[in-house]
Amino acid sequence: MLITFKSKSLPEVMMYQEHAQRILDLLHKNPTRGVITAAEAAQALSVLEHEVALSKLHPEVDAEHEVHTPEQEDNGDLPENKLNLRVGFAQRAFPLLEMLRSAKQEGQDIIWGV
């Protein structure tokens, strides 16, 4: 299922729910429907930037949070030719981080599920 994050500050950001779930869990938000108010944007940005920094310092932890993808074999491993193609938390979070920065700067809310 796709989650579409909307804000008047930037174009929509779409993510698969299984990828957005980690972000929303960190922000204590419901994946079905929610809002990050302009007042919450600074704190949300801080939380996500901290998690991105941790994921870069400890890529093995990032791999633990990786969701099962169709490219993975039945034992959970990626085939040899796909090992360098992993998309980490920092890359997945980047579009939403940009939206949070813009929403904070412009005083706009971010909504989804409506």
Side-chain angles (χ1 to χ4, degrees):
M1 181 167 120
L2 286 175
I3 295 177
T4 303
F5 296 96
K6 301 175 186 178
S7 178
K8 292 182 180 177
S9 64
L10 280 178
E12 297 176 348
V13 172
M14 293 181 7
M15 298 176 82
Y16 285 110
Q17 181 176 343
E18 53 268 16
H19 298 148
Q21 188 67 53
R22 181 174 173 193
I23 294 170
L24 295 173
D25 286 347
L26 288 166
L27 301 177
H28 307 288
K29 298 291 185 178
N30 185 322
T32 307
R33 177 183 289 190
V35 62
I36 299 171
T37 65
E40 296 174 318
Q43 178 62 29
L45 192 56
S46 175
V47 167
L48 289 181
E49 286 175 338
H50 178 74
E51 188 70 12
V52 164
L54 286 177
S55 73
K56 288 180 178 180
L57 285 174
H58 304 284
E60 68 280 0
V61 174
D62 201 23
E64 290 174 16
H65 290 284
E66 198 170 288
V67 295
H68 183 79
T69 59
E71 294 85 19
Q72 289 175 330
E73 296 174 356
D74 290 336
N75 63 3
D77 293 333
L78 286 171
E80 283 294 321
N81 62 346
K82 301 273 185 174
L83 284 177
N84 294 327
L85 299 178
R86 287 194 170 155
V87 178
F89 180 75
Q91 291 88 0
R92 293 201 193 281
F94 181 79
L96 193 55
L97 281 168
E98 287 298 302
M99 183 177 270
L100 279 166
R101 288 182 186 108
S102 180
K104 176 186 162 197
Q105 183 177 1
E106 295 182 21
Q108 299 292 331
D109 297 340
I110 297 173
I111 60 171
W112 62 94
V114 290

